[in-house]
Amino acid sequence: MTEKDSRALKCAYLPLERCRETYNASSDGMLGSICFGSSGAVENIPDQLTGISTPALDAEGRERAACELWSVDGHVSNGAKGALSFSYNDHVLFGQIQVDEADFPEREHIGKTPLQWAAERAYSEVFALLDEMEFPYVLRFWNHVAHINVDSHGLERYRQFNTGRQDGFLSAGRGIAGAVVPAASAVGCDDGPLTVYFLAGRGSCPVAIENPRQVSAYHYPAVYGPRSPTFSRASVADIGGTRVLFLSGTASIAGHVSMHVGDVIAQVRETLANIDAMITEANRMVPDARFRMDDLCFKVYIRSAQDVPLVRGELERLVGKDARMLFLRADICRRDLLVEIEATAGHPMAFDIGRDA
Ligand code: 3EB
């Protein structure tokens, strides 16, 4: 294995302006690029970027536009299939799909809501692509759902999404519980289409990690909706010889119960305790893995922009002053949660989101 191969997958979190430069300089190995900004900001971004109306936030909680870039050393191939676009090399495939619910008027007679249809369609298309391209293993899914906590058709929209997502898994013949379920996050955006983006691999199934402090999400009881969410707590993937940790969105949940309702600082502490437990579990499950809290690069979803200074301060206290964290303003999928944190580790990371950029 050459040094180059062993560093196959790279990530960058950059301000939008820096992202344009990076894109032009190194577009050859670019797998995919997501831009997080206000709905006004994401209307005016270059074509190569996927815009999501989930604004990034500076250290004072002001909205700004930032990008998440996934790339590899060397050449990638690009493709499109229906609403999906994707890029890949021999080891890894990045894809994204945006589905407009307006294209799925309600099928009242079979009782599927537009969002449920959109989610089912998005997941069916993703799995059909992965079968065709022979990338059998999803390493990580990211989902953004507009108005995620709003009720419509008698059900909260996150719960509608869960039903459609699970039907997408089932219709593709994919398992909906246990070690075959990918890591994921599902949070809000201000408006616009349902966005699903993902990384997939071939060669070996990622190791799925569950959290000993939490009930597996795919076993949540029915009080959280008619279908359980289909995600694992984390995954460890082998990508061209490199071990990469993908921590799913993690919140202040113990067992299956939301903890510290109304107290954002206590929610941050509970969330970090969950992340700590998953790092321990990942290192137990994967021989020779030595992931550490201070290796992680964090994405912090925060319901209220005014909580940024408090949450940032607490995370710096718990993880360290140099902790890399991108803050995004998003509704969390349970109304009683104020913050959700995801992270990755094990791959090179270009992090240029300044404290007061
Ligand atoms: C939780 O632990 C908080 O539906 O894909 C975290 C990660 C959460 C992923 C998803 C939801 C999802 O239940 C919410």
Side-chain angles (χ1 to χ4, degrees), residues 16-59:
L16 176 58
E17 311 75 61
R18 285 276 329 272
C19 167
R20 290 183 213 270
E21 298 159 26
T22 307
Y23 219 106
N24 292 334
S26 64
S27 59
D28 194 42
M30 198 59 72
L31 285 172
S33 349
I34 306 297
C35 179
F36 300 104
S38 63
S39 39
V42 297
E43 267 171 29
N44 298 308
I45 54 171
D47 276 353
Q48 313 95 310
L49 294 170
T50 300
I52 302 181
S53 61
T54 297
L57 300 170
D58 72 8

Side-chain angles (χ1 to χ4, degrees), residues 123 140-141 143 158 161-162 165 183-187 214-215 217 220 229-233 248-253 332-334 337 340:
Y123 274 83
R140 180 69 160 89
F141 273 121
N143 304 281
Y158 173 60
F161 165 80
N162 275 326
R165 170 171 58 179
S185 50
V187 297
Q214 296 183 314
V215 173
Y220 279 170
T230 308
F231 72 95
S232 65
R233 296 297 180 185
S248 293
T250 305
S252 175
I253 295 174
I332 316 303
C333 67
R334 290 187 187 183
L337 295 174
E340 177 176 312

Side-chain angles (χ1 to χ4, degrees), residues 33-301:
S33 349
I34 306 297
C35 179
F36 300 104
S38 63
S39 39
V42 297
E43 267 171 29
N44 298 308
I45 54 171
D47 276 353
Q48 313 95 310
L49 294 170
T50 300
I52 302 181
S53 61
T54 297
L57 300 170
D58 72 8
E60 275 73 52
R62 289 178 299 238
E63 295 188 2
R64 54 202 304 281
C67 298
E68 173 179 352
L69 308 180
W70 290 96
S71 63
V72 288
D73 289 327
H75 181 68
V76 302
S77 303
N78 305 307
K81 188 183 185 224
L84 262 164
S85 60
F86 56 96
S87 299
Y88 59 100
N89 69 2
D90 287 344
H91 301 296
V92 62
L93 180 148
F94 175 96
Q96 63 87 19
I97 184 167
Q98 296 194 301
V99 182
D100 192 343
E101 291 166 50
D103 295 340
F104 298 87
E106 192 183 358
R107 313 289 214 275
E108 197 121 38
H109 53 293
I110 24 180
K112 292 190 181 184
T113 73
L115 174 59
Q116 182 186 341
W117 272 106
E120 183 179 345
R121 176 65 66 89
Y123 274 83
S124 301
E125 294 200 6
V126 169
F127 290 133
L129 174 79
L130 296 179
D131 288 347
E132 182 184 320
M133 297 296 295
E134 298 181 5
F135 279 89
Y137 309 114
V138 176
L139 314 177
R140 180 69 160 89
F141 273 121
W142 288 267
N143 304 281
H144 286 258
V145 180
H147 314 293
I148 192 167
N149 297 134
V150 171
D151 287 323
S152 77
H153 307 84
L155 193 64
E156 187 186 24
R157 282 169 50 82
Y158 173 60
R159 299 175 180 202
Q160 299 175 30
F161 165 80
N162 275 326
T163 303
R165 170 171 58 179
Q166 194 185 91
D167 281 336
F169 272 75
L170 290 170
S171 66
R174 299 257 171 173
I176 57 166
V180 296
V181 174
S185 50
V187 297
C189 56
D190 288 345
D191 48 37
L194 169 67
T195 304
V196 179
Y197 65 100
F198 58 95
L199 286 162
R202 43 166 66 127
S204 61
C205 184
V207 179
I209 310 296
E210 289 301 305
N211 181 350
R213 302 180 81 244
Q214 296 183 314
V215 173
S216 293
Y218 44 74
H219 289 147
Y220 279 170
V223 289
Y224 301 103
R227 304 281 193 91
S228 301
T230 308
F231 72 95
S232 65
R233 296 297 180 185
S235 67
V236 179
D238 181 329
I239 305 169
T242 303
R243 263 203 210 99
V244 179
L245 172 66
F246 295 100
L247 286 182
S248 293
T250 305
S252 175
I253 295 174
H256 56 72
V257 178
S258 302
M259 308 294 286
H260 318 296
V261 173
D263 182 344
V264 75
I265 292 288
Q267 289 198 9
V268 169
R269 291 182 190 143
E270 190 76 37
T271 301
L272 262 269
N274 281 325
I275 289 177
D276 198 51
M278 286 188 289
I279 294 172
T280 303
E281 186 65 4
N283 290 338
R284 187 183 72 80
M285 294 278 291
V286 180
D288 304 327
R290 288 189 191 81
F291 296 112
R292 292 158 37 133
M293 187 68 92
D294 53 14
D295 300 331
L296 299 182
C297 190
F298 297 94
K299 222 150 93 188
V300 182
Y301 302 104

